[in-house]
């Protein structure tokens, strides 16, 4: 700044330069806007963006330009800027302002906590609410139990998919496939209950099958593709009341699923004996006459949790006048 000074004769002259040093930033403010001048009020969806506005001021509330600031995501499913990074550097303009886009990551579910750091200054953290993508649920009829990283079913087991969403526009479509690797996302439209035996692409031989599925909302937000392993065995033959698969089995690698068709309803005892008649393992179950039990497995361990030795064992299901027996081989 130059000062113009007049003497007693009216002659004017300029003084030396006076340099004005701005006060340092004392306050960093942070807020989110979904529209210019309008603060964010509603949660974001996966893939949606919001502008994070930052302003640096001195202790008197005056803008401080040139302030270096770093916007940081403390936690949550979000990313900053076009490079989608967890932090982003900014320089305040002449009004002390700067901004950067925050985008919720694809399939994001966790609220995003954001804060600005400038030297020793910290802004108040801002929490951006996130409403996650739809979630597909899987059910089986008759009910089955989880087996390892999936489910043990038979080709006739009915598979049912349903999806829930927090978006008011609802679910548009559920997509699924079985034993498909290409394309990356399933393309078959789910239109109701199905079983493996009605799918031409699904092999009915016992083994593993991969079921993939995801839901898409009317808004276009999609669930991440999920997959479950279906461990399949042929349905229990009409001339058999009890069997197990696999047989023989290695308890260090898997379990064996014991399938049986009760001849009477009520509580039955499932007992594993060694060939000398000693009880290795025992458990009770409620059963219904004629309804196949598909969800009982034995992991090859005794009642003390120890893996049994190689050899033959007898599985006996008895109670209410019923007595079913099956020989099981353990090979490690």
């Amino acid at each position: 700044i130059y000062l113009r000074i007049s003497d007693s004769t009216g002659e004017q002259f300029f003084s030396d330069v006076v340099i004005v040093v701005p006060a340092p930033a004392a306050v960093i403010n942070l807020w989110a806007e979904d529209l210019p001048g309008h603060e964010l009020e509603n949660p974001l969806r996966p893939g949606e963006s919001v502008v994070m506005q930052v302003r640096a001021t001195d202790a008197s509330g005056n803008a401080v330009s040139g302030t270096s600031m770093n916007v940081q995501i403390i936690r949550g499913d979000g990313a900053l800027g076009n490079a989608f990074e967890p932090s982003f550097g900014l320089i305040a303009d002449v009004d002390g302002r700067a901004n950067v886009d925050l985008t919720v990551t694809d399939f994001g579910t966790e609220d995003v906590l954001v804060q600005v750091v400038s030297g020793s200054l910290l802004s108040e953290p801002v929490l951006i609410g996130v409403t996650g993508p739809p979630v597909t649920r899987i059910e089986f009829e008759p009910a089955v139990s989880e087996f390892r990283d999936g489910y043990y079913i038979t080709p006739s087991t009915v598979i049912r998919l349903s999806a829930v969403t927090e978006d008011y526009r609802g679910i548009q479509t559920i997509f699924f496939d079985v034993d498909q690797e290409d394309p990356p996302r399933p393309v078959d439209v789910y239109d109701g209950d199905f079983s493996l035996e009605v799918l031409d692409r699904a092999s009915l031989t016992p083994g593993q099958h991969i079921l993939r599925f995801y839901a898409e909302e009317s808004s276009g937000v999609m669930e991440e593709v999920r997959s479950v392993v279906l461990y399949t065995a042929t349905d229990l033959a009409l001339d058999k009341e009890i069997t197990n698969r696999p047989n023989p089995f290695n308890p260090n690698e898997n379990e064996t699923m014991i399938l049986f068709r009760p001849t009477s309803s009520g509580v039955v005892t499932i007992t594993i004996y060694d060939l000398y008649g000693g009880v290795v393992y025992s458990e009770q179950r409620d059963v219904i006459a004629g309804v196949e039990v598909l969800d009982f497995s034995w992991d090859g361990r005794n009642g003390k949790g120890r893996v049994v030795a190689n050899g033959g064992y007898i599985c006996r299901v008895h109670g209410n006048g019923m007595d079913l027996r099956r020989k099981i081989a353990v090979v490690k």
Side-chain angles (χ1 to χ4, degrees):
I1 297 176
Y2 290 91
L3 297 180
R4 188 170 61 181
I5 301 174
S6 298
D7 61 15
S8 59
T9 65
E11 183 178 355
Q12 296 183 351
F13 61 91
F14 292 95
S15 73
D16 294 335
V17 175
V18 178
I19 299 175
V20 178
V21 178
V27 178
I28 304 293
N29 290 310
L30 172 68
W31 68 97
E33 293 184 353
D34 53 2
L35 294 171
H38 184 268
E39 289 198 32
L40 178 70
E41 297 177 351
N42 299 316
L44 297 181
R45 305 302 311 283
E48 289 186 337
S49 298
V50 67
V51 179
M52 302 305 302
Q53 297 282 4
V54 187
R55 188 166 190 256
T57 58
D58 62 19
S60 300
N62 300 307
V64 180
S65 63
T67 302
S68 297
M69 299 171 288
N70 189 266
V71 185
Q72 299 179 352
I73 293 178
I74 306 303
R75 66 171 185 269
D77 295 326
L80 297 166
N82 294 330
F84 299 103
E85 297 291 339
S87 63
F88 196 91
L90 298 172
I91 302 294
D93 62 15
V94 294
D95 294 320
R97 294 177 179 270
N99 62 68
V100 63
D101 288 344
L102 181 149
T103 304
V104 177
T105 56
D106 292 340
F107 319 118
T109 60
E110 184 180 355
D111 295 346
V112 184
L113 187 66
V114 191
Q115 192 170 39
V116 178
V117 178
S118 179
S120 61
L121 296 178
L122 293 175
S123 72
E124 289 293 324
V126 174
L127 185 65
I128 307 297
V130 173
T131 299
V135 177
T136 300
R137 297 171 177 169
I138 183 170
E139 298 177 277
F140 300 94
E141 186 178 330
V144 300
S145 294
E146 294 185 9
F147 182 76
R148 300 175 67 183
D149 55 347
Y151 303 89
Y152 210 121
I153 69 172
T154 68
S156 62
T157 300
V158 174
I159 302 171
R160 181 176 299 116
L161 301 176
S162 60
V164 294
T165 176
E166 298 181 47
D167 187 78
Y168 72 92
R169 286 162 288 191
I171 299 296
Q172 176 174 280
T173 311
I174 298 175
F175 296 91
F176 81 105
D177 61 26
V178 176
D179 293 341
Q180 300 293 306
E181 297 181 358
D182 189 32
R185 303 184 73 88
V187 297
D188 295 338
V189 175
Y190 171 76
D191 58 4
D193 302 352
F194 65 94
S195 63
L196 292 185
E197 67 183 1
V198 302
L199 297 178
D200 293 338
R201 296 182 305 278
S203 169
L204 298 186
T205 57
Q208 298 182 22
H209 301 285
I210 305 298
L211 169 64
R212 302 191 305 169
F213 53 87
Y214 76 96
E216 181 177 353
E217 298 173 354
S218 298
S219 65
V221 174
M222 295 183 293
E223 177 184 19
E224 189 170 11
V225 175
R226 295 166 54 201
S227 62
V228 297
V229 181
L230 303 178
Y231 295 92
T232 60
T234 56
D235 288 302
L236 191 60
L238 295 178
D239 60 345
K240 292 184 178 180
E241 293 179 329
I242 183 170
T243 189
N244 73 292
R245 300 182 181 89
N247 191 29
F249 83 105
N250 183 347
N252 293 323
E253 297 179 355
N254 53 33
E255 301 175 341
T256 186
M257 179 63 63
I258 298 169
L259 303 89
F260 61 93
R261 184 180 292 112
T263 57
S264 59
S265 300
V267 178
V268 299
T269 301
I270 305 171
T271 306
I272 307 294
Y273 298 90
D274 61 27
L275 295 184
Y276 299 98
V279 175
V280 174
Y281 180 84
S282 184
E283 181 177 326
Q284 289 189 323
R285 297 291 296 272
D286 288 314
V287 297
I288 300 174
V291 177
E292 252 178 80
V293 175
L294 302 173
D295 60 351
F296 180 79
S297 60
W298 180 44
D299 60 5
R301 297 177 183 273
N302 59 25
K304 296 182 180 180
R306 299 189 183 122
V307 176
V308 299
N310 286 348
Y313 295 83
I314 301 296
C315 175
R316 182 188 181 196
V317 179
H318 56 102
N320 298 323
M322 177 173 54
D323 195 345
L324 310 177
R325 300 176 188 235
R326 169 73 173 177
K327 187 173 181 179
I328 298 176
V330 173
V331 178
K332 293 179 285 185

